[in-house]
Amino acid sequence: MNKLYIIRGVPGCGKTTFAESICDKVVSADDYHMTADGVYDWKPENMAAAHRYCQGKTRSIMETGKDVAVANTSTTVKEMKPYYKMAEEFGYTVFSVVVENRHGGVDVHNVPEKSLEAMEKRFDVKLR
């Protein structure tokens, strides 16, 4: 059984750290924002391209039949939908995991407080 892990949570909660602890193949829209010298250079105008990049990397991994973890905020069903469609196409079982920030993690990407609050308000969790 091939597995797709969708690791969800607000910036700073530890999504990538958790994803790396359960899966060898981890992708994130944040990867797109890294420069060649390892500097995180986020620009709002690049968000659509970053998510296309992340979806493309996920598809490439699924084509090889390996398990993959996607570590993005994924606050809404709409943001997760492309990954669910790919999982169906490739026959993957999906595990959606919400990572809480109970350890007081700090957002290393300097997301403005107003943006964090908006993410928290729209965070959609389906319990049944």
Side-chain angles (χ1 to χ4, degrees):
M1 164 180 66
N2 296 105
K3 295 174 278 304
L4 166 64
Y5 302 97
I6 299 176
I7 313 301
R8 311 170 59 207
V10 296
C13 70
K15 293 180 299 294
T16 302
T17 301
F18 176 72
E20 290 170 344
S21 77
I22 63 168
C23 193
D24 290 335
K25 301 291 184 184
V26 177
V27 296
S28 170
D30 282 342
D31 299 342
Y32 182 86
H33 302 290
M34 296 300 288
T35 65
D37 52 347
V39 175
Y40 185 74
D41 186 26
W42 185 86
K43 294 182 178 102
E45 62 269 18
N46 291 338
M47 286 307 298
H51 285 284
R52 282 191 303 274
Y53 168 84
C54 186
Q55 291 165 19
K57 292 278 288 184
T58 302
R59 174 173 288 281
S60 294
I61 293 167
M62 286 181 160
E63 287 172 345
T64 70
K66 295 189 183 333
D67 293 348
V68 59
V70 177
N72 288 331
T73 56
S74 298
T75 59
T76 66
V77 172
K78 179 181 175 185
E79 293 168 336
M80 293 184 287
K81 193 172 189 174
Y83 299 101
Y84 274 94
K85 287 177 87 171
M86 277 188 265
E88 185 177 340
E89 178 183 345
F90 290 100
Y92 275 63
T93 299
V94 180
F95 297 92
S96 173
V97 180
V98 177
V99 179
E100 295 181 276
N101 189 359
R102 293 184 182 260
H103 62 286
V106 179
D107 165 36
V108 296
H109 304 304
N110 299 314
V111 177
E113 184 63 30
K114 192 174 186 176
S115 296
L116 290 171
E117 289 171 3
M119 282 182 213
E120 290 169 4
K121 286 181 182 172
R122 73 174 177 260
F123 207 93
D124 183 8
V125 177
K126 180 178 180 180
L127 299 176
R128 297 201 274 155

